[in-house]
Amino acid sequence: MDKWDKRFIELSQTIATWSSCYKSDRQIGAVIVKNKRIVTTGYNGAPSGITSCKDRGECLRQKLGIPSGTKHEICYAIHAEQNAIIQAAKLGISIDGATLYCTHYPCTICAKMIVNSGIKRVVFLHPYPDDFSGTILSEGGVLVEQYPGQEE
């Protein structure tokens, strides 16, 4: 890890504060970088025009008793990694060969998007309970590194 990794992982933490997720421990941020330049950013939150859980005053997943790392589709939010990838597509920017910095380890759905978008490296801070995503990222040829000192 170098000074650039430190800068971009810290930026992912700042972007996480923009999250509209109701749960304070699920504020996630992502930054996609190519050639030491920020390409796009993303944070977890409801799609444009949809009321977020923060604005609703409750977490749908908590209300239904859904454990973390399962049934990702039952949530108003789009994951930070997904938002960053979608933003690149919307702007017509290639992220092939890029690095994704994220506050949390990607879930399986995000891992599939990361592989297909051409991202070649993921640097994350905190683990996430989704072991299958590691299989997807490994088989997809994506280098995954946990930022030092963040083991949980």
Side-chain angles (χ1 to χ4, degrees):
M1 301 283 170
D2 63 15
K3 71 179 182 181
W4 291 100
D5 290 326
K6 183 179 188 314
R7 290 172 179 171
F8 295 130
I9 205 73
E10 286 175 353
L11 182 56
S12 76
Q13 292 176 293
T14 298
I15 291 165
T17 66
W18 305 345
S19 170
S20 64
C21 183
Y22 180 78
K23 295 171 71 178
S24 61
D25 67 336
R26 283 290 169 232
Q27 308 287 301
I28 316 295
V31 181
I32 297 177
V33 174
K34 197 169 178 180
N35 300 319
K36 298 181 183 172
R37 300 286 181 252
I38 298 164
V39 178
T40 61
T41 63
Y43 55 89
N44 59 324
S48 298
I50 306 294
T51 304
S52 72
C53 290
K54 191 180 273 186
D55 291 336
R56 293 172 193 272
E58 67 179 351
C59 171
L60 176 64
R61 293 177 58 81
Q62 242 176 0
K63 181 179 172 182
L64 298 174
I66 299 170
S68 184
T70 66
K71 300 183 180 179
H72 299 105
E73 70 279 6
I74 303 175
C75 180
Y76 283 102
I78 297 173
H79 290 187
E81 305 94 321
Q82 294 169 5
N83 268 329
I85 292 168
I86 290 165
Q87 188 67 18
K90 189 173 180 179
L91 296 172
I93 300 170
S94 172
I95 53 176
D96 192 34
T99 296
L100 183 140
Y101 294 87
C102 196
T103 56
H104 290 71
Y105 189 82
C107 73
T108 297
I109 295 168
C110 289
K112 292 173 184 178
M113 291 180 69
I114 288 165
V115 169
N116 272 9
S117 70
I119 290 170
K120 293 299 178 197
R121 180 174 176 240
V122 172
V123 179
F124 71 97
L125 283 170
H126 307 289
Y128 183 72
D130 187 341
D131 295 333
F132 187 56
S133 63
T135 301
I136 297 293
L137 292 167
S138 176
E139 288 185 21
V142 178
L143 174 65
V144 179
E145 301 173 81
Q146 185 169 18
Y147 193 78
Q150 299 298 318
E151 294 76 21
E152 289 181 9

